[in-house]
Amino acid sequence: MMRNSLFSSYKVFACNSHMELAEEIASIMGKPLGELEVKKFSDGETAVNLGETVRGVDCFIIQSTCDPVNDNLMELLITIDAMKRASAGRITAVVPYYGYARQDRKAKARDPITAKLVADMLVAAGADRIVTMDLHAAQIQGYFTIPVDHMIGQPLLTEYYRKQNIEDLVIVSPDHGSVPRARNMAEPLGCPIAIVDKRRPKPNVSEIMNIIGDIKGKNCILLDDMIDTAGTITNAANALKDLGAKSVRACATHPVLSGPAKERIEASAIEELVLLNTMPIPEEKMLDKMKVLSIGPVFAEALKRIHDNESISKIFEGNRF
């Protein structure tokens, strides 16, 4: 028997990073977005005006900390602080894309661990709970002293490819770190996996070394958590094609798409690139070979379940989405 919510009502708010997604989530939940104005003073400082009462209310703030990362992070922090000082019952920061997640460890001497610093800032601002998707390193959840609901994007992508009924399919991990993700996709699709063994001589530059697994004459799907400058995914795609793959598709949760990403994807062997809308994709970065799937329904159900104190993991049972 599920417990009733501790809060009689809930409200959904949005900062400026991804208003389209926020409006979709609120619409699915049957709620209008709350009255929240987030703007800048003339000197560049962020100004937040909360236009309705939140006293004793279960509040959800939707904000991806994507580019411009620092502006979007400050908007979220200040909004949390405003709600805390307005006596909100509970404040949940809904962060589909968690910026600074790749700075999760000391890769060399005197490096900061910025993912932990951001976690500390969110807690200090007054967040009671975090909802995010596909953290670059799942252990970032342990940086928080508050509950973290870690949503997974792979079931959405898996369901999309299940409907395609692609024959001779192989799921390919573009590096060793994505192997568990590739296995999780391959199992429900009933296909094998392959691994791209690469060496990265410096940041944002990757060099393909070898393909582990049988990809000759196969239809390959590359799976990653994010595509930033697209060097890794396009080098892997080109290597697969050169080594005899019949076709190459790619998919990822977070469409960062910075720097030369668009040009690299356009010139690559990738026939179709499927992305999730954890952050907005500017029109100038879109290509005909890109397809964007919405995380709105998954997040809407998750927020409802959080309010009702129900299980989040049940959302993904049987890869429903």
Side-chain angles (χ1 to χ4, degrees), residues 250-261:
C251 59
T253 300
H254 304 301
V256 180
L257 303 178
S258 67

Side-chain angles (χ1 to χ4, degrees), residues 212-257:
I212 303 169
D214 179 19
I215 54 90
K216 193 168 185 179
K218 306 291 185 180
N219 294 305
C220 298
I221 299 175
L222 282 157
L223 169 66
D224 212 346
D225 65 325
M226 71 172 66
I227 297 179
D228 188 355
T229 60
T232 295
I233 205 90
T234 55
N235 286 346
N238 295 337
L240 290 169
K241 195 70 175 175
D242 291 344
L243 291 170
K246 184 177 180 181
S247 69
V248 182
R249 298 169 175 83
C251 59
T253 300
H254 304 301
V256 180
L257 303 178

Side-chain angles (χ1 to χ4, degrees), residues 1-314:
M1 185 74 177
M2 297 295 180
R3 294 186 293 121
N4 291 328
S5 173
L6 297 173
F7 308 96
S8 60
S9 63
Y10 68 88
K11 294 183 179 182
V12 182
F13 296 87
C15 299
N16 293 326
S17 73
H18 202 346
M19 194 61 69
E20 182 181 356
L21 175 62
E23 288 172 347
E24 181 188 2
I25 292 172
S27 175
I28 295 170
M29 296 176 76
K31 294 272 187 178
L33 282 176
E35 294 181 29
L36 176 68
E37 183 182 25
V38 183
K39 57 183 182 180
K40 287 186 181 298
F41 288 118
S42 59
D43 65 353
E45 291 181 0
T46 298
V48 169
N49 180 29
L50 187 54
E52 61 184 85
T53 182
V54 294
R55 185 177 295 272
V57 172
D58 199 5
C59 295
F60 299 99
I61 309 167
I62 300 171
Q63 175 81 333
S64 276
T65 51
C66 52
D67 184 41
V69 181
N70 296 336
D71 285 349
N72 287 330
L73 178 58
M74 284 304 298
E75 286 185 6
L76 179 57
L77 293 170
I78 295 170
T79 301
I80 292 170
D81 183 71
M83 290 189 176
K84 180 180 179 182
R85 294 175 188 278
S87 301
R90 177 173 61 180
I91 303 167
T92 300
V94 183
V95 190
Y97 173 72
Y98 184 89
Y100 288 107
R102 284 173 285 180
Q103 297 185 41
D104 63 313
R105 67 194 187 283
K106 292 186 69 169
K108 62 182 186 299
R110 296 175 294 280
D111 270 359
I113 305 179
T114 317
K116 172 68 166 85
L117 174 61
V118 171
D120 290 343
M121 292 166 70
L122 288 166
V123 174
D128 297 300
R129 191 178 200 98
I130 304 293
V131 183
T132 189
M133 178 170 266
D134 278 352
L135 290 167
H136 187 65
Q139 58 266 32
I140 291 173
Q141 296 172 79
Y143 294 170
F144 289 88
T145 56
I146 57 176
V148 176
D149 291 302
H150 189 209
M151 312 293 288
I152 306 299
Q154 169 263 315
L156 282 161
L157 299 167
T158 301
E159 184 61 23
Y160 172 79
Y161 289 116
R162 193 202 306 273
K163 293 175 181 176
Q164 302 297 306
N165 293 318
I166 303 169
E167 296 182 352
D168 297 322
L169 188 62
V170 176
I171 306 302
V172 183
S173 171
D175 53 33
H176 294 281
S178 293
V179 171
R181 193 177 293 110
R183 285 193 181 124
N184 289 338
M185 175 178 274
E187 184 177 354
L189 292 175
C191 65
I193 72 167
I195 304 166
V196 177
D197 181 26
K198 71 172 187 196
R199 178 176 59 199
R200 188 186 293 275
K202 57 183 178 179
N204 292 330
V205 176
S206 63
E207 181 180 346
I208 300 299
M209 296 296 292
N210 192 24
I211 307 293
I212 303 169
D214 179 19
I215 54 90
K216 193 168 185 179
K218 306 291 185 180
N219 294 305
C220 298
I221 299 175
L222 282 157
L223 169 66
D224 212 346
D225 65 325
M226 71 172 66
I227 297 179
D228 188 355
T229 60
T232 295
I233 205 90
T234 55
N235 286 346
N238 295 337
L240 290 169
K241 195 70 175 175
D242 291 344
L243 291 170
K246 184 177 180 181
S247 69
V248 182
R249 298 169 175 83
C251 59
T253 300
H254 304 301
V256 180
L257 303 178
S258 67
K262 179 180 178 180
E263 291 73 21
R264 285 175 171 174
I265 294 165
E266 192 168 26
S268 74
I270 296 172
E271 296 180 8
E272 181 187 53
L273 175 59
V274 181
L275 302 164
L276 303 184
N277 64 338
T278 57
M279 64 186 78
I281 305 176
E283 192 64 35
E284 62 269 19
K285 291 186 178 182
M286 285 296 295
L287 292 167
D288 290 340
K289 64 170 72 176
M290 289 181 185
K291 182 177 181 61
V292 181
L293 307 179
S294 179
I295 61 171
V298 175
F299 271 77
E301 179 160 352
L303 301 192
K304 284 180 181 177
R305 286 175 171 270
I306 289 169
H307 176 69
D308 294 333
N309 292 314
E310 295 179 356
S311 170
I312 300 296
S313 61
K314 287 187 178 296

